[in-house]
Amino acid sequence: MSLVHWYLLIAAALWGIGCYGLIRGPELLRRIIALNLMGAAVFLVMVTLAARTEPADGVLHALVLTGLVVAVSATAFALALVARTLSEQA
Amino acid sequence: MNFALAAALLPLLAAVLALCWRRQAAWLVWLSTLFSLLLALAALWQVVTAGPTTMQLGGWQTGLAIRWQLNELSALLLLMTALIHSLVASYSLSQWRAAGLSADFWPLSALLQAALSSLFLSVDLFNWYVTLELLGLAAVALVLLSGKKALQAAMRYLLLSLAASLCYLLGVALLYGHYGWLDVPQLAVAISEHPVDHRLALWLITAGLMLKAALWPLHIWLPAAHAAAPAPVSALLSALVVKGPLFMLYMIWSQLAGPELVVTGSWLFLLTGSMALLAGGWSALRTPYAKVMVAYSTVAQLGYGLLALGLMLQLSDPVFTQALFLFVLAHALAKTSTFLAVGEMQLRLGGKRLSTFRGASQTMPLAMFAVAVAGGSLIGLPPSGGFVAKWHLLLPLWQHSQLWWLLPVILAGTLLSAAYIFRLVVLAFNRAKPVSPDFAPALLPQWLALLPALLVWMLAFASGALLSWLGG
Amino acid sequence: MMAWLGGVLLMLGLLFFLAGSFGVLRFPDVFSRLHAVTKADTLGLGFIVLGLGVLQQDWQRFLLMLLIWGLVMLSGTISCQLLGQYGRDQTRDHEESAE
Amino acid sequence: MSGDFWFDALLGVLLLVLALATIQARQLAAAVMLYVVFGLMLALAWARLGAADLALAEAAIGAGLTGALLFSALARQPKSITPPVRAGKMAPLAALMLCISMGTVLGWTLWQLPLQPAHSQLPAALEQLGSSGTEHLVTAVLLNFRAWDTLLELLVLLLALLGTRLVAAPEPAALQHWPLARQWSIRLLPLLVLVAFFVLWRGATAPGGAFQAGALLAAALVVLRLNGQLPMLSFGAWWVRALILAGVLAFLLAGLLSLWLNWQPEQAVQWLSWPLPLAKGLILLIELCATLAIGLTLTLLVVGERKELTA
């Protein structure tokens, strides 16, 4: 039960929670948060895989950094869409 | 490889310049699509004469750098992207003031072309993730161009597209965890050396890509999004955006799947393909709205692609690869022409329902002719490209008697597609609704809508060259 | 000797953090909760910084932690003030609507 | 039982509890706040797993800016929300079973992953690090080995901004500006700008870089904008557009320059391969432009083009 296995299990659980939130979450905002949780789970898997080698695998860290910025811009776009749909309803 | 690099970078440069000088954006992007068409032709010619080449981006060795691979297949797909973009750009240029298409269309469509070109050229798993995300965001932004009515459809499209990208990324992370390679050919070598059970990674990647390509069970977002988008945008979406993930599915399943996984995968694609044909055709038959019908026809026609992929995996016969990419080419041209013509008629005659097309053959004969010719290729009538693709799908099936049940399915699919195309064409020959005397729609947009239909109609004459390029 | 001193300082800091969070849970209204959070936690952080400084014997890092503590203190007080003003406006609007 | 074990165990459990609480929280405001805390704990997890760059980026972008985005979306949430937007079509029990099975299958597969990776790009990357123009591996991978990914990623950020401008929602209620907040943001500005450019400069030799620096810059600009101390940043103004496009333009120009510099008549061309003597300078130039572009883009994503109502 090393550090790597523990964080991989946490990532698997996070993925499950994120999927549940995406499927069930009533409000749109909650589904976007659930998407971010799923993203966090995937990045946790990648960073834990990078931590297996002694000097942590910088290539994977760069990939996760790219993924993080992509996730933020996608979230910003989704939130702008949610804000517009909500103000249309009001 | 230089021409292919130029063909991929030109739309990128055009998009950035279009954002700087917003008044000349239209001309700038239109010229860039034409130039990239010429460059793509030159790239194809270079590949045919000098053979396939690869390029390591940045000059580093294989595992570290992103690798671009230019063979006949990717050159042909690059040419298809450039051709469809130049057709749609010229159509939009000819009537965007009338249709009220906002000026943001131009940088977004140029970015879409750049994303697609770099997707077709690259063979790096993580680079595919970034291009896939770029493709998804550009498509959602383009759908939003038609304002308030597209909000709901775009929201659902964006959420599902983000979830699909995350599934794909998780699959890629697992593969990198097992084998340590991101480069697909190198990964295939690593898998063949000491195979490890990576089924979940492949299923995650397949689920993500099937959702992105709107393949049958995960197609729910497509009809609303493609129908709500303006005509040139829905042409781009149906013809090109859904083909990117389909190309990735082919590349991944043909190289990374182990022998026993290929069998299960092929059965999955065969079943989903058949269901796509039947369910897509049936929904297209029953919907009262014209653009929704054309969108469901995309879902149905993608069924042929799935069948070709499934058969290629099961019988490992290269003729099915030819059938798959012939279908991709033929469907792209036919669907562009159909969406442009239907959009033009909807704009001029006003109204979304099929009843507005009553008597369209008298009021707008040219656009109606385009729909009929493109419909012929969708059904698969000779000598259109659709016929050549279906022919190369059916011919080898006769020898393999264990897949007998596919023949009635394809027959039923063809009948359904004939039904929903003629449903529109028959309406056009009824007596036209009274039209104001000065009703004279511009002819240039209708001619531009007819052009891809004529191109796909003559595809059979070019099938010899196409077949030899597609791995004959 | 230094390790023992550092340990005591860290325990003190932990104590103040616990007191602060306990205060947030138990206090009745907004203002007392704000009071508990900003005062106790800032002091707790100060003790932790001192404790780590004693344990670490690295002056450059200790100064860095002091800068962090200063920033936390500043931003803590400012946000406490703003939340307090916001709380006062809310309660006043509430009372006006209640009459 | 080493001390680390308890720290990891607690952090892991805390991450899960926060994630569950975010999904199950009744009010949306509580869900957003819990998510921001989750983002900070995640930054701690990155630091614990030896990814200092990611801890910086997660804290600045993941918890900070995503939190600001969520709060601004929350501000536009109409208070009188009618019955919650139709809950997921799937019954709660079925969704729960599906997610639990997905989690266990994923957990079981992750458990099979080898502890020592069969092959990784690390040795190759470390040995090429010398000729990449920077000493820090992550910056070398981002701006030299896989520079094409970073260019596409800057495009994704630009695209998100273009898409957001298409759906610009009408502004929430006018903000009243507290004098205390205005004073504090003025004092905070020089510190944030200094730290941002320090993080950018350090990116060449230690964790840091364009994205973290851009996020810090965006934080400073957002605070100023919310306090009304900054002129209205509209995409229409040419200098705003020039700055936003600076990152992508710098990349393209550097790529074209390096294409022209190492052009041999019939040898195959290498896109985005920086000639060695120029590598360090080019990378720094690109990082500087990318920082400005990311900072302004993230600001416009968070604040939007708010028409300033009150003085």
Side-chain angles (χ1 to χ4, degrees):
Chain A
M1 186 48 173
S2 71
L3 170 84
V4 168
H5 283 306
W6 169 247
Y7 277 110
L8 285 179
L9 289 185
I10 297 292
L14 263 180
W15 176 265
I17 294 171
C19 283
Y20 181 76
L22 183 63
I23 295 168
R24 280 294 302 152
E27 304 94 343
L28 279 174
L29 209 59
R30 207 183 290 266
R31 289 177 189 218
I32 292 171
I33 291 179
L35 264 175
N36 281 351
L37 289 180
M38 285 165 72
V42 173
F43 296 147
L44 189 54
V45 165
M46 291 171 86
V47 174
T48 319
L49 294 181
R52 291 182 301 177
T53 51
E54 208 309 290
D57 185 350
V59 175
L60 260 177
H61 289 175
L63 299 186
V64 174
L65 199 56
T66 310
L68 201 63
V69 176
V70 165
V72 163
S73 40
T75 309
F77 189 23
L79 285 174
L81 254 170
V82 164
R84 183 61 187 275
T85 13
L86 292 179
S87 61
E88 288 305 322
Q89 282 163 6
Chain B
M1 195 50 167
N2 306 4
F3 293 118
L5 174 64
L9 286 184
L10 195 55
L12 195 57
L13 217 59
V16 171
L17 293 181
L19 281 171
C20 291
W21 293 284
R22 301 207 282 185
R23 266 183 307 284
Q24 290 82 15
W27 293 100
L28 215 58
V29 171
W30 181 64
L31 283 176
S32 90
T33 51
L34 290 186
F35 274 125
S36 57
L37 179 59
L38 296 178
L39 288 169
L41 273 171
L44 182 62
W45 178 251
Q46 196 183 23
V47 165
V48 166
T49 49
T53 56
T54 65
M55 174 171 86
Q56 322 276 30
L57 283 172
W60 308 101
Q61 79 256 26
T62 305
L64 214 48
I66 299 160
R67 180 151 59 139
W68 274 12
Q69 187 181 25
L70 184 68
N71 48 26
E72 283 91 352
L73 175 58
S74 44
L76 214 57
L77 291 173
L78 200 66
L79 177 61
M80 172 188 84
T81 317
L83 178 66
I84 301 281
H85 270 279
S86 44
L87 285 169
V88 169
S90 9
Y91 171 85
S92 328
L93 198 60
S94 66
Q95 56 95 354
W96 66 301
R97 272 171 201 76
L101 192 66
S102 90
D104 283 329
F105 167 78
W106 300 104
L108 289 175
S109 72
L111 281 174
L112 191 75
Q113 184 178 1
L116 269 166
S117 314
S118 54
L119 187 141
F120 286 135
L121 284 170
S122 147
V123 278
D124 183 280
L125 282 175
F126 187 78
N127 190 247
W128 270 344
Y129 165 72
V130 185
T131 41
L132 213 54
E133 197 73 26
L134 199 57
L135 207 59
L137 287 184
V140 171
L142 280 166
V143 166
L144 282 169
L145 283 178
S146 54
K148 272 207 288 294
K149 62 182 171 70
L151 269 177
Q152 208 61 27
M155 185 76 226
R156 189 175 351 175
Y157 181 14
L158 182 61
L159 281 187
L160 289 175
S161 164
L162 293 179
S165 297
L166 286 178
C167 283
Y168 174 80
L169 187 59
L170 186 55
V172 167
L174 288 175
L175 279 179
Y176 188 82
H178 277 304
Y179 299 103
W181 286 99
L182 283 173
D183 191 81
V184 171
Q186 280 295 335
L187 192 53
V189 166
I191 287 176
S192 55
E193 270 153 14
H194 39 78
V196 165
D197 171 17
H198 58 277
R199 276 180 309 193
L200 180 67
L202 267 190
W203 289 130
L204 278 169
I205 288 178
T206 309
L209 291 177
M210 281 182 86
L211 188 68
K212 283 254 176 192
L215 300 176
W216 173 65
L218 309 168
H219 68 291
I220 31 172
W221 57 268
L222 184 128
H226 287 203
V233 170
S234 34
L236 283 178
L237 291 182
S238 270
L240 293 174
V241 171
V242 284
K243 301 299 187 328
L246 189 63
F247 165 74
M248 284 162 68
L249 265 179
Y250 160 74
M251 291 287 278
I252 287 175
W253 274 93
S254 61
Q255 295 179 35
L256 300 186
E260 82 292 338
L261 202 55
V262 159
V263 174
T264 39
S266 64
W267 277 109
L268 164 79
F269 290 132
L270 285 179
L271 291 178
T272 44
S274 329
M275 278 316 292
L277 265 176
L278 301 178
W282 178 249
S283 325
L285 207 53
R286 287 179 49 250
T287 165
Y289 299 104
K291 285 187 89 171
V292 173
M293 180 187 86
V294 184
Y296 270 120
S297 131
T298 302
V299 174
Q301 295 284 324
L302 283 173
Y304 288 118
L306 275 171
L307 285 183
L309 188 59
L311 285 169
M312 189 269 290
L313 289 177
Q314 182 141 23
L315 309 174
S316 67
D317 184 341
V319 79
F320 293 116
T321 320
Q322 294 169 345
L324 171 63
F325 287 103
L326 269 174
F327 152 71
V328 163
L329 277 173
H331 178 262
L333 287 168
K335 198 42 64 76
T336 309
S337 160
T338 318
F339 257 124
L340 291 184
V342 165
E344 181 66 17
M345 283 195 275
Q346 254 187 331
L347 181 72
R348 294 291 183 242
L349 300 172
K352 291 216 283 270
R353 291 182 161 273
L354 273 168
S355 53
T356 59
F357 292 86
R358 210 150 51 85
S361 63
Q362 292 109 37
T363 49
M364 294 179 73
L366 212 52
M368 200 59 233
F369 181 62
V371 170
V373 168
S377 163
L378 289 178
I379 301 168
L381 305 176
S384 71
F387 162 75
V388 178
K390 201 170 282 187
W391 178 260
H392 282 80
L393 194 66
L394 285 171
L395 201 58
L397 266 182
W398 296 106
Q399 284 99 16
H400 302 280
S401 58
Q402 80 271 18
L403 289 169
W404 60 270
W405 56 275
L406 271 182
L407 295 176
V409 164
I410 293 180
L411 186 63
T414 314
L415 287 180
L416 275 173
S417 56
Y420 63 71
I421 294 289
F422 284 122
R423 185 178 171 214
L424 186 60
V425 172
V426 160
L427 260 176
F429 287 100
N430 290 359
R431 206 162 11 80
K433 286 194 287 188
V435 168
S436 61
D438 62 354
F439 177 82
L443 283 183
L444 180 59
Q446 296 179 39
W447 272 108
L448 285 171
L450 180 61
L451 185 56
L454 296 179
L455 283 177
V456 82
W457 191 259
M458 261 89 74
L459 214 55
F461 304 121
S463 60
L466 282 174
L467 290 174
S468 68
W469 291 339
L470 285 175
Chain C
M1 202 334 244
M2 300 301 276
W4 185 76
L5 178 62
V8 164
L9 283 171
L10 285 179
M11 288 311 294
L12 261 176
L14 188 63
L15 189 69
F16 276 99
F17 266 109
L18 279 180
S21 12
F22 199 66
V24 169
L25 293 176
R26 296 295 299 167
F27 282 151
D29 67 351
V30 175
F31 305 104
S32 48
R33 279 203 215 111
L34 273 176
H35 183 73
V37 164
T38 40
K39 304 304 177 292
D41 285 1
T42 321
L43 197 53
L45 188 61
F47 276 115
I48 287 181
V49 163
L50 283 178
L52 288 177
V54 162
L55 286 173
Q56 282 279 331
Q57 308 293 354
D58 171 354
W59 289 107
Q60 207 233 345
R61 191 165 296 177
F62 179 61
L63 286 179
L64 202 59
M65 281 196 281
L66 274 183
L67 177 63
I68 293 172
W69 182 44
L71 268 174
V72 165
M73 203 152 37
L74 267 172
S75 59
T77 44
I78 301 268
S79 41
C80 160
Q81 184 72 12
L82 295 179
L83 282 172
Q85 278 178 351
Y86 183 75
R88 188 197 57 210
D89 299 347
Q90 290 300 97
T91 44
R92 193 187 311 123
D93 302 346
H94 184 63
E95 270 133 21
E96 271 147 19
S97 59
E99 278 132 23
Chain D
M1 274 305 144
S2 73
D4 288 354
F5 166 75
W6 287 111
F7 180 80
D8 290 324
L10 188 64
L11 187 58
V13 167
L14 197 56
L15 281 173
L16 289 188
V17 165
L18 281 171
L20 265 176
T22 313
I23 298 294
Q24 294 301 338
R26 270 186 310 285
Q27 295 112 355
L28 216 46
V32 168
M33 281 170 221
L34 284 167
Y35 175 71
V36 171
V37 175
F38 172 84
L40 290 175
M41 287 304 130
L42 198 61
L44 211 55
W46 298 152
R48 175 77 190 90
L49 286 164
D53 294 77
L54 292 176
L56 264 169
E58 178 71 31
I61 298 179
L65 281 167
T66 313
L69 285 167
L70 285 168
F71 278 120
S72 69
L74 202 61
R76 292 194 179 92
Q77 183 96 6
K79 292 296 172 287
S80 61
I81 189 130
T82 47
V85 175
R86 51 159 184 72
K89 288 184 286 302
M90 206 185 283
L93 196 59
L96 194 62
M97 297 313 297
L98 175 70
C99 295
I100 288 176
S101 56
M102 245 198 293
T104 38
V105 165
L106 181 60
W108 184 74
T109 319
L110 289 173
W111 188 273
Q112 312 291 325
L113 283 176
L115 268 185
Q116 285 315 328
H119 173 90
S120 92
Q121 302 305 337
L122 188 57
L126 286 176
E127 138 215 333
Q128 297 282 349
L129 193 52
S131 60
S132 75
T134 58
E135 286 82 31
H136 186 49
L137 181 57
V138 173
T139 315
V141 171
L142 271 178
L143 282 157
N144 203 334
F145 301 150
R146 295 183 73 96
W148 179 243
D149 269 352
T150 312
L151 174 55
L152 289 182
E153 178 209 320
L154 286 175
L155 279 176
V156 168
L157 203 61
L158 174 67
L159 207 60
L161 182 61
L162 292 180
T164 309
R165 281 190 63 255
L166 285 176
V167 283
E171 300 321 312
L175 300 159
Q176 1 90 322
H177 308 307
W178 286 306
L180 183 65
R182 291 170 75 101
Q183 291 307 325
W184 174 235
S185 63
I186 292 288
R187 302 295 183 282
L188 208 56
L189 176 65
L191 180 69
L192 269 175
V193 169
L194 183 68
V195 170
F197 283 101
F198 168 70
V199 163
L200 171 66
W201 176 257
R202 240 167 69 99
T205 53
F211 302 107
Q212 298 87 340
L216 283 171
L217 214 57
L221 293 177
V222 163
V223 167
L224 278 175
R225 189 74 200 93
L226 289 180
N227 287 326
Q229 287 150 327
L230 210 62
M232 209 255 297
L233 296 165
S234 87
F235 192 76
W238 70 271
W239 59 276
V240 171
R241 271 206 314 272
L243 270 179
I244 286 175
L245 294 171
V248 176
L249 272 175
F251 243 114
L252 286 177
L253 294 180
L256 294 177
L257 177 71
S258 60
L259 265 184
W260 179 64
L261 280 182
N262 37 26
W263 169 264
Q264 267 84 18
E266 70 295 327
Q267 209 194 12
V269 78
Q270 301 286 9
W271 171 239
L272 288 185
S273 74
W274 317 129
L276 195 52
L278 283 177
K280 189 165 174 53
L282 276 179
I283 286 181
L284 205 59
L285 175 77
I286 292 174
E287 280 216 290
L288 188 65
C289 298
T291 305
L292 296 174
I294 292 166
L296 208 61
T297 313
L298 289 175
T299 314
L300 276 182
L301 282 176
V302 173
V303 190
E305 290 151 60
R306 199 169 295 224
K307 317 275 179 307
E308 194 44 56
L309 305 176
T310 57

